[in-house]
Amino acid sequence: MPRPRRTIPSSEHPSPPTRRDGAALRRRSTNVTLTVALVEEAKELGVNLSQAAEVGVAGAVARKRAEVWLAENREALESSNAFVEAHGLPLARYRNF
């Protein structure tokens, strides 16, 4: 029997975005300033700084996109929640549980 796979939530371990045109696969060199102690410890532990930075930036971008989406849609979400509070779920009579 195969072992169940442990899934890691995307916010915990995001992967870089992909696009059909391959733009997300191209690389651009950039400078990042880190503390000396952090860089030394990463080297000692064999951490690939480029990959770790990319995963970290991808996570920050995902969190910021979610924050922006929530701000842009807050009014609609509040309206929907108010409707459900006032009238209940629209299809509640069809629920079997």
Side-chain angles (χ1 to χ4, degrees):
M1 177 190 257
R3 291 184 351 177
R5 292 177 46 181
R6 179 179 175 254
T7 58
I8 299 172
S10 60
S11 61
E12 207 177 296
H13 189 72
S15 58
T18 57
R19 289 182 13 190
R20 288 185 206 172
D21 62 6
L25 301 177
R26 294 189 312 231
R27 300 282 184 223
R28 176 183 294 173
S29 293
T30 186
N31 293 326
V32 177
T33 304
L34 304 170
T35 62
V36 172
L38 183 61
V39 172
E40 289 175 355
E41 188 173 7
K43 278 186 175 184
E44 288 174 12
L45 296 171
V47 173
N48 181 317
L49 287 175
S50 293
Q51 288 177 347
E54 186 170 8
V55 168
V57 171
V61 167
R63 287 187 298 275
K64 188 63 176 181
R65 276 189 182 161
E67 180 183 314
V68 167
W69 184 91
L70 185 60
E72 290 174 349
N73 293 283
R74 185 173 312 279
E75 186 178 329
L77 293 167
E78 288 172 355
S79 172
S80 177
N81 289 339
F83 178 88
V84 170
E85 285 179 23
H87 305 286
L89 292 172
L91 303 175
R93 65 178 174 232
Y94 300 109
R95 293 176 73 172
N96 292 325
F97 52 93

